[in-house]
């Protein structure tokens, strides 16, 4: 596929409500979109980096910079999605920037051939169960209200963000209020240390599906120690940057579940390799989320339809975060999202909405 040029577009998406985690609170999303213009198709990719490097080391200005200075110029003029990662390999890190570029190329390629992301990746289902991530709230009543609303909407699994000082209490209250049938899990975003093991053991009383990323990103060995002490399964998010990290974590016994985020691992092709590896080792996977617009969400839903994704993902409806999405909104249907089946991601930005939210655009030719 011959590439004519690539557009970098920054959009500002206000969040419906502030989203608080152990690393901070977000009020809006500052998102970098890529549009690859090829000879006879175009493709879109979404960069999931945050505006500040709080979730991981990437941030959106940094992603735009590395894309324009190094990654885009390194692409051969004639490229296929399969060869993108190899062409970008001389440049270390920057997985979210690389993932956005590979996704846009893959979208353009699949649109040209008429195949969907779902079909290309090997999806085996036509809808996926939808979970929701609930931010840290100011009070337990506010948290119960929020969870009540999501349960009423049909979300099949609730994930509570936790942090030291806001963990056992809120989790106990939610379990008590909603009963034993609620699928419930927690995400600490690396806020604890191994010295908190005894405290984290208290979460074992609440029959959680898993505890996500309790310890620091590079604490693989410490996660293995913690996993041996908890009955709650340990799931890794930030620690898993690649299939190689996943293999190391599995081999160490650092986790029994993996949260797969295509941005974090450098793209949908690496995401699929992690899926395959985990499936071969009996490690459950689920699809994480980074508050994507409809562009990133569509591709995530396609990935989540692969057979090894045996737990509900953070693949929520568009309305979880946004009153107006840039694509036709993803909507819950009996707690599920339909897997798009059109060419590429199967969704396109709505031109008027996109124009309204655009802060800047930049056109880059090889
Ligand atoms: C996680 N996501 O699983 C992340 C973390 C996260 C859905 O819980 C702005 C942009 C705010 C990305 C907050 C969910 C964010 C963000 C949290 C990602 O760890
Ligand atoms: Mg997480």
């Amino acid at each position: 596929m011959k590439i004519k040029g690539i557009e970098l577009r920054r959009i500002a998406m206000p969040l419906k409500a502030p989203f608080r985690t152990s690393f901070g609170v977000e009020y809006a999303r500052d998102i970098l979109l890529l549009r690859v213009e090829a000879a006879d198709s175009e493709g879109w990719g979404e960069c999931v980096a945050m505006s500040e490097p709080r979730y991981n080391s990437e941030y959106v200005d940094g992603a735009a910079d590395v894309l324009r200075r190094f990654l885009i110029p390194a692409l051969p003029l004639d490229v296929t999605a399969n060869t993108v990662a190899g062409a970008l390999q001389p440049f270390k890190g920057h997985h979210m920037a690389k993932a956005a570029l590979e996704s846009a190329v893959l979208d353009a390629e699949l649109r040209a051939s008429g195949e969907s992301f779902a079909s290309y990746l090997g999806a085996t289902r036509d809808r996926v169960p939808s979970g929701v991530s609930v931010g840290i709230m100011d009070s337990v009543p506010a948290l119960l209200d929020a969870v009540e609303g999501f349960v009423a909407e049909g979300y099949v699994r609730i994930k509570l963000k936790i942090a030291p000082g806001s963990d056992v209490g809120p989790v106990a209250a939610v379990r008590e209020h909603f009963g034993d049938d609620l699928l419930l899990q927690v995400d600490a975003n690396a806020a604890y240390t191994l010295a908190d093991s005894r405290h984290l053991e208290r979460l074992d009383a609440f029959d959680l599906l898993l505890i996500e990323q309790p310890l620091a990103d590079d604490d693989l060995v410490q996660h293995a120690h913690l996993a041996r002490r908890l009955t709650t399964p340990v799931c890794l998010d930030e620690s898993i940057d690649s299939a190689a990290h996943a293999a190391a974590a599995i081999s160490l016994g650092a986790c029994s579940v993996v949260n797969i985020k295509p941005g974090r691992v450098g793209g949908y092709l690496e995401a699929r390799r992690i899926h395959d590896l985990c499936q071969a080792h009996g490690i459950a996977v689920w699809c994480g989320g980074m508050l994507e617009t409809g562009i990133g969400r569509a591709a995530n839903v396609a990935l989540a339809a692969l057979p090894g994704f045996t737990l509900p993902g953070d693949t929520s409806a568009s309305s979880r975060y946004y009153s107006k999405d840039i694509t036709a909104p993803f909507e819950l249907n009996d707690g599920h999202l339909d897997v798009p089946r059109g060419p590429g991601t199967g969704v396109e930005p709505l031109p008027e909405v996109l124009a309204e939210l655009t802060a800047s655009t930049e056109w880059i030719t090889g």
Side-chain angles (χ1 to χ4, degrees):
M1 191 178 64
K2 292 222 166 38
I3 292 181
K4 295 201 280 188
I6 296 178
E7 182 188 74
L8 304 188
R9 178 183 292 258
R10 289 286 280 276
I11 62 170
M13 299 272 289
L15 293 174
K16 277 166 72 172
F19 189 54
R20 183 181 298 277
T21 66
S22 60
F23 55 74
V25 57
E26 296 294 312
Y27 300 90
R29 200 81 174 79
D30 171 4
I31 294 171
L32 172 64
L33 295 178
L34 268 58
R35 186 175 61 85
V36 164
E37 215 173 286
D40 38 29
S41 69
E42 65 173 22
W44 291 87
E46 175 169 346
C47 179
V48 300
M50 295 181 70
S51 52
E52 298 184 1
R54 294 180 182 273
Y55 164 79
N56 67 7
S57 66
E58 294 188 78
Y59 62 104
V60 66
D61 283 329
D65 190 66
V66 77
L67 278 159
R68 80 166 72 82
R69 291 175 61 181
F70 303 110
L71 304 183
I72 291 173
L75 278 191
L77 289 175
D78 201 354
V79 71
T80 72
N82 262 317
T83 61
V84 170
L88 304 183
Q89 214 216 325
F91 302 103
K92 303 269 187 181
H94 297 283
H95 286 186
M96 290 172 171
K98 290 176 176 177
L101 185 51
E102 185 192 79
S103 303
V105 170
L106 179 57
D107 188 39
E109 194 175 310
L110 293 176
R111 281 175 200 272
S113 69
E115 187 177 14
S116 67
F117 258 61
S119 156
Y120 177 83
L121 292 172
T124 53
R125 288 172 290 174
D126 54 21
R127 54 179 217 154
V128 298
S130 194
V132 63
S133 177
V134 185
I136 294 168
M137 300 285 173
D138 293 336
S139 69
V140 165
L143 175 62
L144 296 179
D145 267 7
V147 173
E148 184 87 61
F150 291 128
V151 169
E153 283 183 64
Y155 286 103
V156 305
R157 182 228 70 191
I158 300 291
K159 161 169 138 181
L160 304 180
K161 289 293 195 178
I162 59 168
S166 183
D167 44 36
V168 175
V171 171
V174 168
R175 179 54 88 205
E176 160 81 8
H177 192 269
F178 294 92
D180 292 342
D181 288 346
L182 181 72
L183 299 184
L184 186 63
Q185 65 191 51
V186 295
D187 185 0
N189 287 111
Y192 296 89
T193 73
L194 195 54
D196 298 311
S197 296
R198 192 192 298 273
H199 179 69
L200 293 171
E201 279 175 14
R202 296 176 61 194
L203 293 171
D204 285 343
F206 306 110
D207 194 26
L208 302 176
L209 284 169
L210 56 89
I211 179 169
E212 181 178 346
Q213 197 69 42
L215 312 179
D217 306 12
D218 44 15
D219 277 357
L220 272 196
V221 171
Q222 290 87 335
H223 275 104
H225 287 295
L226 181 65
R228 278 184 233 109
R229 290 190 52 169
L230 302 184
T231 58
T232 305
V234 170
C235 169
L236 291 176
D237 174 356
E238 288 91 326
S239 287
I240 308 295
D241 265 3
S242 62
H245 281 81
I250 294 168
S251 164
L252 280 169
C255 65
S256 52
V257 183
V258 172
N259 168 336
I260 299 183
K261 288 177 181 168
R264 193 191 67 224
V265 304
Y268 288 86
L269 302 182
E270 186 74 358
R272 181 173 57 185
R273 284 191 281 273
I274 296 176
H275 160 274
D276 295 349
L277 173 82
C278 288
Q279 203 178 26
H281 289 269
I283 298 290
V285 305
W286 54 281
C287 184
M290 291 292 288
L291 287 55
E292 288 88 349
T293 72
I295 299 290
R297 197 164 296 278
N300 285 352
V301 169
L303 179 70
L306 269 63
F309 285 77
T310 53
L311 290 167
D314 283 344
T315 43
S316 304
S318 298
S319 66
R320 161 67 184 90
Y321 297 111
Y322 304 114
S323 32
K324 205 193 291 172
D325 204 340
I326 61 169
T327 63
F330 279 83
E331 285 168 350
L332 279 193
N333 214 319
D334 183 30
H336 290 66
L337 297 182
D338 289 331
V339 177
R341 284 288 168 181
T345 60
V347 302
E348 297 85 38
L350 303 165
E352 326 76 64
V353 183
L354 192 63
E356 191 185 310
L357 298 175
T358 295
S360 65
T361 63
E362 180 180 347
W363 178 249
I364 300 174
T365 51

